[in-house]
Amino acid sequence: MTRLLTVENLSVALPRGADRPHAVEEVSLHLDAGEILCVVGESGSGKSITANTVMGLLPKGLPVTSGRITFEGEDLLGLSAEALRSRRGRRMAMVFQEPMTALNPLMKVGDQIAEALSVHGKGAEARARVPELLAAVNLPDPAAIARMHPFRLSGGQRQRVMIAMALALEPALLIADEPTTALDVTTQAQILRMMREIQQRRGMGVMFITHDFGVVAEIADRVAVMQRGRIVEQGTAREVLDAPQHPYTRALISAVPHGRTLDRAAARPAPVLQMKGVTKTYQRGGWFGARAVVRAVHDADFTLNKGETLGLVGESGSGKSTLARCVVRLVEPEQGEILFHGNDLRPLSRQGWLPYRKRIQMVFQDPYASLNPRRKVGDAITEGPITHGVGRDEARQRALELLRLVKLEPSAMERYPHEFSGGQRQRIGLARALAMQPELLIADEPVSALDVSVQAQVLDLLAEIRQRLGLTMLFITHDLRVAAQICDRIAVMQRGAIVELGPTAEVFGAPKHPYTRSLLDSIPGRGWTPPELAETA
Amino acid sequence: MGGFWRNFCRNRGAVVGLVILLLVIATAVAAPWLFPGSPWDMAGMPFAPPGEMGMWLGTDSLGRDVAAGIAHGARVSLLVGAVSTVVALVIGIGLGATAGYLGGVADDIVMRFTEFFQTIPSFVLAILLVAIFTPTIGSIVFAIAVVSWPPVARVVRAEFLSLRSREFVQASEVLGKSRLAIVFGDILPNALSPIVVLSSLMVASAILLESALSFLGLGDPNLMSWGFLIGSGRSVIRIAWWMSVFPGIAIFLTVLSLNLVGEGLSDALNPRLARNREGKA
């Protein structure tokens, strides 16, 4: 095999005042033709900076301080901007994370691909090549798609268009920066399969950046693990995934949700929450033209028993968040009954709801958006109880206990949210919800915005607290491995309806509905079970 | 707070603007000591050019000191600018917050009402209001406030619309806080930056409006103001240029300084935008 890309001792400086002197430090890696190298790491580990350096796309504030990048025998760092530009697109191409923003919204897709061709002097072939390229990324009816504007395509279709554009000039090297992170699992599985297939057909070298070990297991030939700007471990996929050597890799892999189901005694049926015939529809338009009606939630009946955790899983747009928000009245459904200990909450007024606010609480998805940036953590935790008539001193006392429970320092009380990391903020959000001493906790994707090692900590904390306080929990997630780990029963939602509901082991072991089956088949790296690793210091 | 200052000072224009503004405010405050007595009193010979008879800026057609007029006029102009802006903010924030937080029908009603005000040329409406209510300082402040609240309402509504769906506001709803507590405790503090920036620009435009009204003779007849000074100098501009030019410069400097300060505030409150503008990521 021919050596395509070599990076030797690459260091990129960070501007002064950053948390470390280098974004990337003494990074060495290589890529052969016909090989997929996965660069894995948590956010801020320098994996995207490495990729952007190869492409010559570093922002001005980040200078390369040392190292060599050799691509097809040429030193890329020594090339002029013009020489680099002629190689970009033609010999090496890049696919970005966010398909929603990487395409020009005002240009037809076909024209955008044609533009990529004509920039490198191959405009004449565009007519014939565009449909061919769109067909190569498995888009149905390429001629029709070429005439569409990006807003008419789904996220997965846009990412395919991006890949088609990157492949237009048959580059020898493709850099893919988290290309499937913004996509649903089933779409992700299709895109990964397609990339693998095209890469093998054309013998391309692919540098694939991801944070997800499932994706690594699915696609990688070789793996490089990055931590704080350094490569800590490099090797074949089998070696790194099944017998990791470096403590950081071992920690990361043992933090991957193992997906093994819980073995717990079934809860005695003592219904806390029952949803019956809840329907929520959204309407668009009006005045002129036809109204578009979207049924966000319908046919979603379930019962939640005391002490049990029910997982609500589904892809984006399946209505799982809307359903959860109906329970706490952030969304007002137009039909159905929401029975909490037998009392219907739906017809209650804002005032009538107040006594239930204490008993039903929620933890939100985005740790950066769910805390008021202008309010101290202590105030955020105490304001709920104070609103409900608890004395100020008692509320503060309770807040201190809760901070201890979620493993934060008491000094956190006097600090503002921006001083905390994502995982810490999520624990503050949890403390805020628990301060009300609720019976029912609704957790809306509480770990999906977190890095894998932090995710594991928060999940452990949730499990521990649920056990200790005897909480009943409605847990919303799109990640089936997480759901399997924490839920007693699982409800699978598709297009607003619950299509399958049953004990976790049953749903995962013997799925009845075809949609559940396709979801399970799409879990990245489903053929790989993270090895049991002894705790390393 | 320290970071706020540093960001503000990074914009040099804003610092210059702040210095000019402080000078104008100091002049207004010190007017009774700098120029004792009424600015309407005759102080020297009519049409004395600047520098003569101890008048730095000359006298007008009745022998009144132009410098005294400007200093006392600063009090009126700044007062009108500040008070009418506060009144406009109260109306604008009240309506904008209602529309943005409640949404739906309330939003429709409030916004149609706002648009109704926006479709009427604001200066014509101000003239009309002052003419109906007879020109006093109160009616002038009222008129200026009535024509300048719609942009505030629109900005506040837009901020509220986006903040209302943020998770920390939803969390407050789930905690069972009252609507007022959510609006004033959670949403408004996070919507303050654009309001602060906007209000500094509104003070500037209120000063211009007041001057324009006084120029047309619709100022409070008992109070000396910059617009009145320009208006009275208009007919004799060829023989006594100083009567119109110096009050004009006063208005120009004050409005300019307010705009500069507004821009500095906007940079300091959105430091990320400001830094990008300088080209440092």
Side-chain angles (χ1 to χ4, degrees):
Chain A
M1 278 203 199
T2 50
R3 180 65 37 105
L4 199 58
L5 174 77
T6 328
V7 177
E8 290 164 277
N9 290 322
L10 179 73
S11 295
V12 176
L14 277 175
R16 250 176 299 160
D19 62 332
R20 58 175 195 250
H22 290 94
V24 161
E25 209 170 345
E26 289 169 23
V27 161
S28 297
L29 47 81
H30 60 87
L31 178 67
D32 292 335
E35 180 184 58
I36 297 183
L37 170 71
C38 272
V39 181
V40 211
E42 297 190 293
S43 47
S45 61
K47 50 196 197 303
S48 285
I49 296 284
T50 310
N52 286 341
T53 316
V54 174
M55 286 299 284
L57 293 176
L58 275 185
K60 279 207 186 78
L62 305 178
V64 175
T65 48
S66 69
R68 277 166 62 84
I69 300 177
T70 318
F71 173 63
E72 296 187 313
E74 283 176 310
D75 184 6
L76 284 184
L77 293 176
L79 289 180
S80 68
E82 190 53 31
L84 196 59
R85 195 187 63 80
S86 79
R87 282 163 188 70
R88 239 177 354 232
R90 200 166 52 82
R91 298 305 301 158
M92 52 189 192
M94 189 155 178
V95 179
F96 297 91
Q97 171 170 356
E98 199 48 78
M100 299 299 174
T101 53
L103 287 169
N104 180 346
L106 296 178
M107 244 172 119
K108 289 175 185 161
V109 248
D111 294 343
Q112 299 196 43
I113 299 176
E115 192 184 28
L117 287 164
S118 63
V119 164
H120 291 280
K122 299 204 172 162
E125 309 167 19
R127 256 184 118 62
R129 292 271 284 133
V130 168
E132 190 186 310
L133 282 163
L134 288 172
V137 290
N138 302 339
L139 279 169
D141 199 355
I145 294 236
R147 284 194 302 273
M148 286 184 188
H149 284 96
F151 72 90
R152 292 178 61 187
L153 305 178
S154 69
Q157 286 174 322
R158 288 182 211 203
Q159 199 58 294
R160 283 168 200 264
V161 171
M162 283 302 298
I163 295 172
M165 206 188 287
L167 295 177
L169 291 135
E170 311 202 337
L173 167 68
L174 180 68
I175 297 181
D177 189 355
E178 305 255 14
T180 57
T181 307
L183 306 175
D184 278 326
V185 270
T186 46
T187 321
Q188 165 169 299
Q190 290 162 12
I191 297 269
L192 289 179
R193 205 173 307 138
M194 183 202 82
M195 286 185 77
R196 179 100 233 183
E197 182 196 306
I198 291 178
Q199 176 265 340
Q200 276 165 355
R201 202 164 58 214
R202 306 200 173 181
M204 267 188 316
V206 176
M207 184 165 156
F208 195 105
I209 291 163
T210 182
H211 66 280
D212 185 340
F213 273 96
V215 171
V216 176
E218 195 76 12
I219 200 167
D221 295 315
R222 281 192 314 112
V223 183
V225 184
M226 289 192 74
Q227 180 196 19
R228 296 181 59 81
R230 289 173 174 277
I231 290 187
V232 295
E233 183 159 1
Q234 213 172 155
T236 65
R238 283 278 76 81
E239 283 165 13
V240 175
L241 290 175
D242 293 335
Q245 298 303 317
H246 191 276
Y248 179 68
T249 320
R250 293 171 71 92
L252 275 185
I253 286 182
S254 58
V256 173
H258 46 66
R260 281 184 293 273
T261 53
L262 282 173
D263 209 16
R264 295 206 310 173
R268 267 167 283 110
V272 172
L273 179 74
Q274 279 177 291
M275 302 289 272
K276 285 185 186 167
V278 171
T279 309
K280 176 71 197 172
T281 52
Y282 287 104
Q283 299 190 339
R284 259 164 207 280
W287 284 50
F288 307 107
R291 276 179 178 237
V293 176
V294 181
R295 294 166 82 200
V297 174
H298 61 98
D299 294 315
D301 297 2
F302 66 82
T303 304
L304 190 53
N305 291 314
K306 187 160 176 45
E308 154 184 82
T309 298
L310 176 71
L312 220 46
V313 301
E315 298 187 295
S316 55
S318 62
K320 55 192 194 303
S321 272
T322 309
L323 184 57
R325 281 170 154 71
C326 284
V327 180
V328 288
R329 205 195 177 84
L330 285 172
V331 169
E332 293 188 38
E334 53 265 4
Q335 268 179 44
E337 291 174 50
I338 302 170
L339 298 174
F340 183 69
H341 288 295
N343 304 318
D344 192 359
L345 299 181
R346 198 179 70 82
L348 290 181
S349 66
R350 199 182 163 88
Q351 212 56 37
W353 238 99
L354 273 184
Y356 295 100
R357 289 290 181 206
K358 270 182 278 188
R359 303 168 70 182
I360 308 177
Q361 273 302 308
M362 183 154 178
V363 178
F364 292 85
Q365 170 174 5
D366 185 350
Y368 293 93
S370 62
L371 295 170
N372 187 340
R374 303 200 178 232
R375 182 163 292 148
K376 284 180 191 156
V377 168
D379 297 336
I381 299 176
T382 53
E383 68 175 345
I386 289 174
T387 308
H388 288 270
V390 175
R392 197 164 283 272
D393 293 333
E394 193 192 333
R396 285 192 76 81
Q397 206 51 47
R398 203 190 282 174
L400 283 170
E401 278 164 36
L402 282 166
L403 282 178
R404 203 170 315 129
L405 184 67
V406 298
K407 304 188 171 74
L408 288 171
E409 296 289 313
S411 62
M413 293 283 281
E414 298 305 321
R415 290 157 69 191
Y416 285 94
H418 69 86
E419 300 172 50
F420 295 91
S421 69
Q424 288 173 323
R425 289 182 197 213
Q426 205 58 312
R427 285 185 262 162
I428 295 168
L430 183 58
R432 174 178 61 191
L434 294 176
M436 302 289 274
Q437 303 180 322
E439 293 168 53
L440 171 60
L441 187 67
I442 292 162
D444 185 7
E445 303 257 15
V447 295
S448 56
L450 304 176
D451 274 329
V452 58
S453 58
V454 183
Q455 181 177 341
Q457 290 165 12
V458 173
L459 282 177
D460 287 346
L461 180 68
L462 267 177
E464 184 193 323
I465 284 171
R466 186 191 53 174
Q467 199 91 55
R468 200 186 306 179
L469 307 178
L471 281 177
T472 309
M473 193 151 77
L474 183 62
F475 191 96
I476 294 111
T477 182
H478 68 280
D479 188 330
L480 294 155
R481 283 171 184 264
V482 169
Q485 197 164 326
I486 200 159
C487 302
D488 301 309
R489 287 194 304 149
I490 300 260
V492 182
M493 284 194 82
Q494 184 193 21
R495 287 192 226 109
I498 291 182
V499 295
E500 183 159 359
L501 175 65
T504 306
E506 229 165 81
V507 172
F508 277 70
K512 292 191 191 71
H513 195 275
Y515 178 68
T516 314
R517 242 169 278 148
S518 80
L519 269 187
L520 289 171
D521 283 342
S522 310
I523 298 179
R526 65 197 169 286
W528 170 64
T529 320
E532 295 266 12
L533 296 169
E535 286 287 319
T536 42
Chain B
M1 203 59 205
F4 174 83
W5 250 127
R6 217 171 312 125
N7 284 323
F8 185 85
C9 294
R10 194 175 289 161
N11 184 334
R12 283 220 198 101
V15 178
V16 173
L18 188 64
V19 170
I20 299 177
L21 188 60
L22 289 175
L23 280 177
V24 175
I25 293 173
T27 315
V29 171
W33 292 280
L34 287 175
F35 303 98
S38 165
W40 300 93
D41 288 344
M42 202 166 158
M45 199 182 73
F47 297 118
E52 275 179 36
M53 300 182 58
M55 312 284 168
W56 311 336
L57 304 181
T59 59
D60 70 359
S61 50
L62 294 174
R64 294 176 293 217
D65 186 354
V66 174
I70 291 177
H72 284 267
R75 297 166 78 89
V76 176
S77 291
L78 289 180
L79 187 75
V80 169
V83 175
S84 62
T85 300
V86 169
V87 176
L89 282 180
V90 170
I91 305 175
I93 291 176
L95 289 177
T98 313
Y101 180 70
L102 293 180
V105 180
D107 183 25
D108 276 344
I109 293 172
V110 171
M111 288 329 283
R112 294 305 85 77
F113 182 68
T114 309
E115 278 157 17
F116 171 75
F117 274 85
Q118 286 197 303
T119 51
I120 305 172
S122 58
F123 189 54
V124 176
L125 180 60
I127 291 176
L128 193 72
L129 288 171
V130 175
I132 292 173
F133 293 106
T134 68
T136 63
I137 186 130
S139 68
I140 292 170
V141 165
F142 170 75
I144 294 175
V146 163
V147 300
S148 48
W149 65 265
V152 185
R154 296 186 73 99
V155 166
V156 172
R157 169 181 175 266
E159 287 290 315
F160 269 57
L161 273 181
S162 82
L163 286 168
R164 183 184 59 165
S165 55
R166 291 277 286 279
E167 286 184 345
F168 70 84
V169 176
Q170 298 191 337
S172 291
E173 296 270 0
V174 174
L175 288 177
K177 289 170 72 176
S178 70
R179 287 199 182 101
L180 278 181
I182 292 174
V183 166
F184 289 108
D186 288 308
I187 307 185
L188 195 56
N190 286 291
L192 272 185
S193 325
I195 299 176
V196 168
V197 173
L198 183 63
S199 54
S200 73
L201 302 178
M202 278 168 62
V203 175
S205 63
I207 289 176
L208 282 176
L209 260 177
E210 190 275 336
S211 303
L213 286 171
S214 304
F215 177 80
L216 294 178
L218 288 166
D220 189 324
N222 301 316
L223 292 169
M224 178 65 74
S225 83
W226 292 343
F228 167 80
L229 286 172
I230 300 179
S232 66
R234 178 183 46 121
S235 52
V236 289
I237 194 161
R238 305 232 334 236
I239 50 170
W241 55 266
W242 56 89
M243 281 176 60
S244 318
V245 167
F246 291 118
I249 290 176
I251 294 176
F252 166 73
L253 284 178
T254 311
V255 171
L256 177 72
S257 68
L258 281 163
N259 279 292
L260 289 173
V261 169
E263 186 156 317
L265 282 176
S266 142
D267 284 0
L269 295 168
N270 297 311
R272 198 175 315 154
L273 279 180
R275 239 168 289 151
N276 287 348
R277 210 175 298 151
E278 285 170 30
K280 299 183 224 157

